[in-house]
Amino acid sequence: MKLFPLFADLQGRRVVVVGGGEVAARKAQVLLEAGADVQVGAPALAPELAGLAAEGRIRHLPGEFRAEWLDDAWLVVAATDDRAVNAAVSRAAAQRRVFSNVVDDAELSSFQVPSIVDRSPLIVAISSSGVAPVLARRLRERVESLFDHSLGALAGLAARYRPRIRERRPDLKQRRRFYDWLLDGPVAGLLRQQQPAEAERVLNDALDAPEDASQGSVVLVGAGPGDPGLLTLKALRALNEADVILYDRLVSPAVLALARRDAERVAVGKRPGEDHDATQARIHALLAEHARAGRRVVRLKGGDAFIFGRGGEELEYLRAQGVRYEVVPGITAALACAAYAGIPLTHRDHAQSVRLVTAHCREDEDSLDWPGLAREHQTLAFYMGVGQLETLSARLIGHGRSGATPFALIENGSRPEQRVVTGQLADLAGVARSHEVRAPALLIVGEVAGLARQLHWFGAYQEGRREPLAA
Ligand code: SAH
């Protein structure tokens, strides 16, 4: 470790800033926020510093740098654009055992100022030991996005209630569980929704309850179509906090890789020989079992959980079982595939509405409004296996949609191996066969599908040929 991290209490302590320009002003500001007694030494002060001096918030030490300025200082920051002056500051500081920071000069500095994420009283400080400030800034951005702004309020609340929590939960294990509940449960949620009074009421109720109310919970998370960049910040947070993740076959490995390292990952897709209802019942039981054991469960589904994802059924079950839950929406395949194929789902000239449809082309399960679906000036997005295309195009054409209507099949939408295959509705099944389109694939039917030809920007693009006619 090249640098030892520490958090300094500067309340009322003298800190000298050498330099009177903009950088010095920025440094003086932060030091004032930390309650330091700031003195700024420079022949002249930039307007912002002059203002602070006039208000009496800082003291101006006029003239060229003098070593005596540092006599009563705890820290010094050199922010001049003259390296010789900065070096003199650094030397004088070393002689007096005063820590010095020379802005943007790791070599002359005996302390560095980290990049920070401020959720006071919680502060995350990041350092690259002065060698890669860009990297430190990057990391800061990531950390910034991981921690909600309500975290400061949560930490403040936890601090205020610490004595009462200790009194009401004397047992260490119980107390730990209570803190977990406090940080992950409804109190944190209410603070995020900016309802501090309600949050405090829930906290009080929980403290007064004799039994520990800190049971587990389930977050139903939409993982999007595959590109991990399409996760929401909330989904990322849930993945970072999960104890166990129950995921579907459609969830991409790149998304799973972002989850907490030691979270247990359980694939719950359909097993060979198992029917859909049996799979679903098994998943329900697993969800409830893990939550009852006090775990934070993430139920991770491809796309959005409420679009052909049976998310509703899972919530009904959890509600009946009294298990707490939350829902985080995801980007559904139709939106992602359209975006990544350059197909605007609505368009002033071509389509005024869009329908998300799942087609069961089996006669007995087919309750779709085919005449409605066959109407013009609308876009259809079909979620389904690729085995049903023959029936599908026949029905649409049979109910009046033109055989010349453009379609686009998007295979592995948003993933590195994405492929878009386009053609005309009458040729749909033949094109899919000759191009060997495989699941997962989404079908878009409507004039807008033809725009992929000009607007596609990601992955492979192929224009469908009919299968050569058998001789
Ligand atoms: N809940 C999911 C849909 C589940 S149904 C969502 O909101 O996206 C499964 C169907 O979704 C697949 O048969 C396929 O038609 C479509 N699908 C899901 N992910 C896809 C992807 N990355 N590329 C293309 N189609 C996809």
Side-chain angles (χ1 to χ4, degrees):
M1 206 195 298
K2 186 165 163 256
L3 297 175
F4 180 78
L6 63 85
F7 288 85
D9 178 1
L10 294 182
Q11 291 292 330
R13 301 206 156 111
R14 177 160 307 168
V15 179
V16 174
V17 176
V18 182
E22 256 173 55
V23 180
R26 226 168 41 230
K27 298 290 167 186
Q29 256 324 336
V30 192
L31 290 164
L32 282 175
E33 275 168 37
D37 162 21
V38 180
Q39 307 211 336
V40 178
L45 298 183
E48 191 185 330
L49 284 170
L52 288 174
E55 290 167 22
R57 298 188 57 207
I58 62 170
R59 214 183 110 206
H60 182 200
L61 307 167
E64 300 295 335
F65 171 67
R66 292 205 310 277
E68 302 88 78
W69 287 354
L70 308 187
D71 283 346
D72 297 318
W74 290 74
L75 290 178
V76 58
V77 177
T80 80
D81 48 14
D82 183 334
R83 193 157 201 262
V85 174
N86 288 343
V89 174
S90 167
R91 256 194 325 275
Q95 278 161 6
R96 286 167 175 73
R97 304 288 187 270
V98 173
F99 276 107
S100 63
N101 174 260
V102 177
V103 176
D104 287 337
D105 195 331
E107 216 178 298
L108 287 180
S109 299
S110 57
F111 78 90
Q112 305 273 337
V113 182
S115 293
I116 64 166
V117 176
D118 187 357
R119 300 286 186 273
S120 283
L122 261 179
I123 297 175
V124 183
I126 299 159
S127 161
S128 64
S129 308
V131 296
V134 179
L135 211 61
R137 264 204 302 281
R138 277 280 175 88
L139 194 58
R140 196 195 68 86
E141 279 167 21
R142 289 222 35 198
V143 174
E144 185 81 56
S145 68
L146 276 181
F147 295 111
D148 205 90
H149 279 271
S150 63
L151 204 61
L154 186 58
L157 194 65
R160 263 197 296 127
Y161 275 79
R162 204 165 153 193
R164 264 203 70 207
I165 295 172
R166 179 174 282 275
E167 177 207 321
R168 304 286 309 182
R169 299 283 186 275
D171 171 58
L172 180 66
K173 246 187 161 168
Q174 250 192 351
R175 197 152 65 235
R176 275 216 188 114
R177 249 184 302 144
F178 188 81
Y179 274 113
D180 275 341
W181 171 83
L182 181 61
L183 298 180
D184 299 321
V187 174
L190 286 163
L191 286 176
R192 271 201 286 272
Q193 291 152 20
Q194 297 180 357
Q195 301 183 40
E198 182 63 9
E200 198 155 344
R201 192 188 62 70
V202 171
L203 171 55
N204 269 307
D205 286 356
L207 274 176
D208 290 340
E211 241 325 280
D212 204 338
S214 53
Q215 60 147 332
S217 63
V218 174
V219 195
L220 183 58
V221 176
D227 177 352
L230 294 179
L231 278 178
T232 62
L233 291 179
K234 272 200 145 181
L236 190 60
R237 199 174 304 130
L239 287 174
N240 268 293
E241 289 169 355
D243 295 315
V244 52
I245 300 169
L246 307 183
Y247 66 95
D248 279 349
R249 192 176 39 86
L250 265 179
V251 172
S252 86
V255 167
L256 272 179
L258 292 175
R260 208 178 96 196
R261 236 165 231 284
D262 47 355
E264 187 188 340
R265 292 154 164 81
V266 186
V268 293
K270 195 171 150 219
R271 290 176 182 163
E274 194 179 45
D275 72 22
H276 285 292
D277 290 335
T279 312
Q280 202 55 44
R282 181 165 52 80
I283 293 170
H284 290 170
L286 268 177
L287 283 172
E289 188 184 305
H290 282 295
R292 287 226 186 76
R295 301 195 184 104
R296 286 163 296 188
V297 184
V298 164
R299 171 71 176 113
L300 192 60
K301 287 171 172 286
D304 180 88
F306 284 176
I307 302 284
F308 309 127
R310 301 188 80 160
E313 290 163 55
E314 293 181 14
L315 291 199
E316 281 163 21
Y317 181 84
L318 294 174
R319 162 74 42 162
Q321 299 286 313
V323 174
R324 276 191 297 115
Y325 58 76
E326 275 176 62
V327 184
V328 179
I331 295 193
T332 190
L335 299 190
C337 290
Y340 278 62
I343 298 173
L345 288 173
T346 68
H347 189 292
R348 264 158 46 111
D349 301 333
H350 308 299
Q352 281 72 50
S353 69
V354 54
R355 292 204 187 184
L356 310 186
V357 189
T358 187
H360 284 287
C361 288
R362 270 179 35 207
E363 211 68 63
D364 52 331
E365 288 183 27
D366 181 8
S367 57
L368 286 174
D369 163 28
W370 289 103
L373 290 173
R375 243 172 262 135
E376 314 231 299
H377 300 297
Q378 63 174 336
T379 305
L380 308 175
F382 287 98
Y383 292 67
M384 50 166 205
V386 286
Q388 318 184 338
L389 301 174
E390 192 93 61
T391 340
L392 192 121
S393 59
R395 294 237 166 115
L396 286 175
I397 293 168
H399 285 87
R401 192 96 194 212
S402 158
T405 309
F407 76 80
L409 274 164
I410 300 111
E411 184 186 71
N412 286 310
S414 87
R415 303 179 180 206
E417 58 277 21
Q418 173 178 308
R419 180 169 64 140
V420 178
V421 180
T422 61
Q424 296 192 347
L425 187 56
D427 307 331
L428 176 61
V431 167
R433 248 194 321 273
S434 62
H435 287 258
E436 298 182 30
V437 175
R438 301 264 173 275
L442 184 105
L443 170 67
I444 297 179
V445 177
E447 280 67 28
V448 292
L451 295 173
R453 176 175 213 177
Q454 296 103 51
L455 300 182
H456 72 89
W457 57 275
F458 182 81
Y461 174 81
Q462 300 168 355
E463 294 195 359
R465 300 251 159 277
R466 255 178 226 252
E467 278 179 325
L469 288 177

